[in-house]
Amino acid sequence: MLSTNELLEIIRIGHLLEENVLQQAILEAEKDKKSLLQYIVSVNLLSEETIYKGASSYFKVPYISLKNKLILSDVLNIIPESIANIYQMVVIEVDDKNLHVATTEPYNLEIIEFLTKKTGLNIVISLTSPTDLANTIRQYRHNLAETEFKQFVAVDDEDLSKTDIGSKMKAVASDVSIVKLVDTILEYAITGDASDIHIEPEEQKIGVRYRIDGILRNVMNLPKSIQASMISRIKIMSNLKLDEHRIPQDGRLRVETPKYKISVRVSLIPVLYGEKIVMRLLNEASEFLSLDVLGFQKDVFEIINKAIKKPHGMILTTGPTGSGKTTSLYSMLGALNTPSVNITTIEDPIEYKMAHINQSQVSTRVNYTFATGLRAFLRQDPNIIMVGEIRDEETASIAINAALTGHLVLSTLHTNDAVTTMPRLIDMGIPPFLVASTVNVIIAQRLVRKICQDCKTSYTTSIKELDGIPSFTSKNILDYWSGKHPGETNPLTDENGIITAWRGVGCSECHNGYKGRIGIYEVIEMNPKFTKLILNKASTNELTDAMKEDNILTMAQDGCIKILEGITTIEEVLRTTRENVM
């Protein structure tokens, strides 16, 4: 990192700022207790790239931009990650004679001499910016490999059977190498934005996978010999029984550093070759998304915004596990959370803590279920109730009656789409007139991966590529596009049927061209037509026809609009909607 004196010389020699502007920046940086470099970049006086290009002339070292540069794992690992972090240096290329490295500290002769002795190659230095370097160092997490973890203590199962298993396993699980292994798996998952870690015993090895942006990715394979000690280490961290291998166990642990606070939900189940572990990572510091960034189309957003302002009734989100239902509910609660209302939730489990909201967790051990919690809530003078999930007739009945008696109830239900939600409630034993009179809005949703904006590129393709997307009709998309983008050329009007789509090519900022996720939705607002159909116990097909008559967008059609807007890809919408043929 540049010192203040070096930065001042670079700015003055390169005439990057007027002297009066520079002096004012020095004063403001001191007032804000920031380094001069941080202040100048934060208020956009100069970019990091401009400053470090000036520094390259000052140090007489060439500048290199590492933005979107992918580095082969074998090349990157010539310098271990720990050394790269300490000395702020990465290898970017290697040939028979030269080792090319990028750094923010080109004057560090000690590390250059060390690399020369270690590799026997000529070290070629380039200067890069701190942001580019930090993003490149993140690639170590993309390249996590089993070679880093070959030297771990093995536990002999036969030996275990001859000793006191509790003390033996505790001793082995505390071995420094096993501690490091588990800590590293957790650290890489957290910094790699994984939502889940899967540790899966197989016949000859242990597989480790991370779920990133909803997709499971193989990360590494570990030696079978460390299985018992690694599982014991995780059990100790999660306060689970070490000597229990026959039944599932659930626990929690917490990972806290100056950079992050992560709550980890741990689940173990017995499988053929041992115990499988799944760890769900929940960032305690993450902010709840506001409704306007979840990906709702403008008219749909207005429907939901109107529904959450009603004093009573029910709002249901539906979809499979992992489709973002809970995020949608929390976003609604965030919009509703004011001092004038009493909000109570019952969840299984409580995934995120929300200030000023009374959150309660079910416990089967003491027979505290969704139904018993709901009954108790009604004696707590609530205005708004959130039920984590409607699973049975009893919970559904109490929730419906709460919505009928002056409470706003938010909940989730497992159905594939919006129209099947109403027949599902009726099948659970809820009278049709109660469904029709209490349900305000039904939101069905899926999550699709977003295209990385750093490596996004366009291409042309035939409109026929969209034919595989269920319920795709160009008329629906034309009407919606015209309303959202007045005056713009419509992407579906090419006389040859050619459309412009987008994809990510892959870069250091993303995972195979994707970064982050967004929802695709279909939203049914209860109206006289749907009320009449429900009272007559209409079939799913009749409800679907009513959706089409009212031009209600399906999830697939919402996905098509996001394809044409360059938000996601054709492949993603196909992946998430193929099972929802209407």
Side-chain angles (χ1 to χ4, degrees), residues 82 294 340 372 391 536:
S82 56
L294 292 183
S340 62
T372 54
R391 297 175 178 172
N536 292 330

Side-chain angles (χ1 to χ4, degrees), residues 463-511:
I463 193 173
K464 292 181 180 179
E465 290 293 315
L466 301 180
D467 288 345
I469 296 174
S471 64
F472 167 75
T473 61
S474 57
K475 184 181 185 304
N476 275 105
I477 312 305
L478 277 168
D479 292 342
Y480 258 81
W481 185 274
S482 300
K484 288 190 66 180
H485 304 272
E488 291 186 21
T489 302
N490 195 290
L492 299 177
T493 56
D494 185 281
E495 59 183 14
N496 298 314
I498 302 300
I499 61 170
T500 298
W502 303 80
R503 62 164 67 101
V505 296
C507 68
S508 61
E509 294 289 303
C510 67
H511 300 278

Side-chain angles (χ1 to χ4, degrees), residues 447-458:
L447 292 177
V448 293
R449 290 179 291 172
K450 294 195 294 185
I451 301 169
C452 172
Q453 297 302 302
D454 290 303
C455 62
K456 178 178 172 181
T457 184
S458 63

Side-chain angles (χ1 to χ4, degrees), residues 217-494:
R217 306 171 189 277
N218 289 318
V219 177
M220 62 177 143
N221 295 315
L222 295 169
K224 186 73 172 176
S225 57
I226 69 165
Q227 177 174 313
S229 51
M230 182 174 67
I231 290 173
S232 295
R233 172 63 185 166
I234 294 170
K235 284 183 175 181
I236 289 171
M237 294 172 72
S238 311
N239 199 27
L240 299 177
K241 294 179 181 178
L242 285 172
D243 56 350
E244 182 57 77
H245 308 286
R246 299 164 299 172
I247 61 174
Q249 294 192 73
D250 294 311
R252 280 183 177 268
L253 61 95
R254 200 161 180 266
V255 182
E256 186 171 349
T257 73
K259 294 181 180 179
Y260 49 73
K261 294 179 182 178
I262 305 293
S263 176
V264 184
R265 210 168 70 219
V266 181
S267 172
L268 282 83
I269 62 168
V271 292
L272 181 60
Y273 296 111
E275 292 173 275
K276 177 183 175 179
I277 300 175
V278 175
M279 294 187 275
R280 168 65 57 89
L281 309 178
L282 303 168
N283 189 346
E284 295 181 3
S286 62
E287 295 183 359
F288 302 108
L289 297 174
S290 60
L291 277 171
D292 57 352
V293 300
L294 292 183
F296 293 112
Q297 302 295 345
K298 184 179 179 181
D299 55 344
V300 171
F301 173 77
E302 290 170 356
I303 290 171
I304 294 169
N305 207 30
K306 183 174 69 175
I308 64 174
K309 291 177 180 177
K310 291 184 178 181
H312 55 80
M314 181 176 281
I315 299 173
L316 293 172
T317 62
T318 75
T321 301
S323 59
K325 301 186 300 296
T326 303
T327 298
S328 295
L329 290 183
Y330 275 120
S331 297
M332 294 178 207
L333 290 179
L336 292 166
N337 190 9
T338 64
S340 62
V341 295
N342 175 19
I343 303 176
T344 308
T345 76
I346 182 161
E347 306 171 55
D348 183 22
I350 297 171
E351 295 197 3
Y352 299 100
K353 299 173 185 175
M354 296 190 76
H356 314 302
I357 289 180
N358 308 293
Q359 295 175 271
S360 184
Q361 181 166 318
V362 303
S363 175
T364 54
R365 293 178 182 176
V366 293
N367 196 33
Y368 182 49
T369 63
F370 285 118
T372 54
L374 266 172
R375 285 196 189 93
F377 288 178
L378 295 175
R379 297 189 290 273
Q380 290 276 315
D381 186 32
N383 299 103
I384 300 162
I385 298 172
M386 194 267 269
V387 185
E389 183 184 343
I390 293 177
R391 297 175 178 172
D392 51 52
E393 180 183 349
E394 185 180 19
T395 306
S397 178
I398 299 169
I400 287 280
N401 279 286
L404 194 64
T405 54
H407 305 89
L408 183 63
V409 179
L410 286 67
S411 190
T412 71
L413 199 66
H414 281 288
T415 59
N416 283 333
D417 49 39
V419 291
T420 54
T421 302
M422 294 170 274
R424 172 76 190 279
L425 287 170
I426 293 169
D427 289 344
M428 291 175 104
I430 306 301
F433 78 91
L434 285 179
V435 175
S437 58
T438 56
V439 176
N440 295 338
V441 166
I442 301 168
I443 306 165
Q445 65 182 85
R446 297 291 187 276
L447 292 177
V448 293
R449 290 179 291 172
K450 294 195 294 185
I451 301 169
C452 172
Q453 297 302 302
D454 290 303
C455 62
K456 178 178 172 181
T457 184
S458 63
Y459 67 99
T460 56
T461 186
S462 169
I463 193 173
K464 292 181 180 179
E465 290 293 315
L466 301 180
D467 288 345
I469 296 174
S471 64
F472 167 75
T473 61
S474 57
K475 184 181 185 304
N476 275 105
I477 312 305
L478 277 168
D479 292 342
Y480 258 81
W481 185 274
S482 300
K484 288 190 66 180
H485 304 272
E488 291 186 21
T489 302
N490 195 290
L492 299 177
T493 56
D494 185 281

Side-chain angles (χ1 to χ4, degrees), residues 165-175 232 236 242:
I165 190 164
S167 60
K168 177 73 175 179
M169 294 303 285
K170 283 186 179 180
V172 173
S174 299
D175 184 273
S232 295
I236 289 171
L242 285 172

